[in-house]
């Protein structure tokens, strides 16, 4: 019987993001609008100020962000971070970091959402390219996603957003088995461990306490070009 879970509490994962200060066509500086399909995500703002723009079936909203703010959103929330001054965030991600491991679809124009290969080519940042070349790709990807994002915001009625949802679901479908395994080893295993601990405690037993441990981890990469900004990422 599993009585402990070695990962972060609840099977979450974290990263630190310094939000891009690149200006876009609308004059705002910030990241790439995108959506997660199976995971919630939370922002713990650690410095600076800015906002997160969100678009859902309920409409468009802007949530101000400043040091100390905690904001979170559920799957299906299109979100765009706007940097108004050195915005820095610790991101909490459901399902062992799945939002940065595939559970994200950028709001590219519809012609780039037709199949996984076309989408991947439009999103790719060459890992072996010099940093300035990676930045060029990241900025171009961000600006392309903003084109689709502006179209979704300007559309009347729910049809355009529903079409984007369908296209996004079709794009990620080939990876669901991989995602399910990550969920099983993370969030599901964490929940099962808690259930086992409660079962033991109900019998006035506590064998899991003998397995108590302290763990630490340092970032495995710093300054990686992410969707919203430069990332410090962890293996969790």
């Amino acid at each position: 019987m599993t009585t402990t879970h070695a990962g972060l509490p609840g099977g979450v994962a974290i990263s630190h993001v310094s939000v891009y200060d690149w200006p876009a066509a609308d004059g705002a500086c910030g990241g790439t609008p995108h959506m997660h399909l199976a995971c919630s995500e939370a922002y713990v703002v650690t410095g600076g100020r800015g906002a997160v723009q969100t678009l859902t079936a309920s409409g468009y909203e802007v949530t101000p962000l400043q040091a100390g703010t905690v904001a979170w959103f559920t799957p299906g929330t299109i979100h765009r971070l706007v940097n108004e001054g050195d915005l820095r965030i610790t991101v909490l991600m459901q399902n062992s970091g799945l939002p940065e491991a595939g559970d994200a679809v950028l709001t590219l124009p519809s012609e780039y959402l037709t199949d996984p290969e076309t989408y991947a080519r439009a999103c790719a940042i060459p890992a072996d390219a010099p940093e300035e070349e990676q930045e060029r790709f990241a900025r171009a990807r961000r600006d392309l996603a903003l084109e689709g994002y502006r179209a979704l915001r300007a559309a009347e009625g729910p049809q355009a957003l529903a079409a984007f949802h369908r296209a996004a679901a079709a794009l990620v479908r080939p990876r669901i088995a991989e995602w399910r395994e990550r969920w099983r080893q993370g969030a599901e295993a964490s929940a099962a461990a808690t259930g086992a601990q409660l079962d033991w405690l109900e019998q006035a037993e506590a064998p899991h306490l003998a397995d108590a441990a302290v763990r630490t981890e340092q970032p495995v990469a710093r300054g990686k070009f992410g969707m919203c900004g430069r990332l410090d990422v962890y293996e969790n």
Side-chain angles (χ1 to χ4, degrees), residues 3-69:
T3 58
T4 59
H5 175 66
L8 283 172
V12 302
I14 66 169
S15 64
H16 303 304
V17 59
S18 298
V19 180
Y20 293 132
D21 59 2
W22 306 330
D26 61 359
C29 299
T32 308
H34 62 281
M35 176 185 75
H36 304 298
L37 289 87
C39 298
S40 293
E41 193 171 69
Y43 294 155
V44 181
V45 183
T46 57
R49 59 187 177 83
V52 57
Q53 300 176 353
T54 56
L55 182 64
T56 68
S58 299
Y60 172 73
E61 294 184 49
V62 178
T63 301
L65 301 175
Q66 61 184 6
T69 300

Side-chain angles (χ1 to χ4, degrees), residues 106-113 119 122-123 141 144-145 148-149 164:
L106 310 187
T107 56
L108 303 183
S110 58
E111 60 265 30
Y112 296 94
L113 306 176
Y119 176 80
C123 294
R141 179 178 72 175
L144 188 62
Y149 174 68
F164 175 71

Side-chain angles (χ1 to χ4, degrees), residues 2-235:
T2 300
T3 58
T4 59
H5 175 66
L8 283 172
V12 302
I14 66 169
S15 64
H16 303 304
V17 59
S18 298
V19 180
Y20 293 132
D21 59 2
W22 306 330
D26 61 359
C29 299
T32 308
H34 62 281
M35 176 185 75
H36 304 298
L37 289 87
C39 298
S40 293
E41 193 171 69
Y43 294 155
V44 181
V45 183
T46 57
R49 59 187 177 83
V52 57
Q53 300 176 353
T54 56
L55 182 64
T56 68
S58 299
Y60 172 73
E61 294 184 49
V62 178
T63 301
L65 301 175
Q66 61 184 6
T69 300
V70 178
W72 63 95
F73 40 85
T74 56
T77 304
I78 295 172
H79 48 289
R80 175 201 185 189
L81 277 172
V82 175
N83 186 353
E84 297 172 354
D86 194 26
L87 183 59
R88 287 167 284 119
I89 295 171
T90 294
V91 183
L92 308 180
M93 297 168 287
Q94 194 178 8
N95 295 317
S96 306
L98 184 56
E100 287 177 5
D103 181 20
V105 174
L106 310 187
T107 56
L108 303 183
S110 58
E111 60 265 30
Y112 296 94
L113 306 176
T114 54
D115 60 86
E117 293 75 20
T118 299
Y119 176 80
R121 284 195 298 271
C123 294
I125 298 177
D128 57 351
E131 182 170 317
E132 58 271 21
E133 187 72 0
Q134 291 187 29
E135 178 176 331
R136 185 180 69 81
F137 274 93
R139 292 183 72 148
R141 179 178 72 175
R142 190 278 307 267
D143 292 342
L144 188 62
L146 283 171
E147 289 183 27
Y149 174 68
R150 287 193 294 269
L152 289 171
R153 280 187 55 186
E156 295 184 4
Q159 293 83 1
L161 189 58
F164 175 71
H165 290 169
R166 289 193 297 271
L171 285 175
V172 304
R173 183 181 179 188
R175 304 190 64 183
I176 299 306
E178 171 191 336
W179 294 8
R180 192 181 299 277
E181 186 59 28
R182 180 181 286 258
W183 163 71
R184 284 178 174 146
Q185 294 181 16
E188 185 183 44
S190 178
T194 299
Q197 291 162 11
L198 294 174
D199 289 343
W200 282 115
L201 293 171
E202 195 169 43
Q203 301 171 49
E205 301 285 350
H208 60 287
L209 300 184
D211 297 326
V214 177
R215 296 176 173 87
T216 64
E217 186 176 343
Q218 294 295 319
V220 296
R222 295 183 184 272
K224 178 180 177 182
F225 287 98
M227 290 175 285
C228 298
R230 300 296 296 265
L231 294 175
D232 293 345
V233 298
Y234 296 78
E235 283 189 337

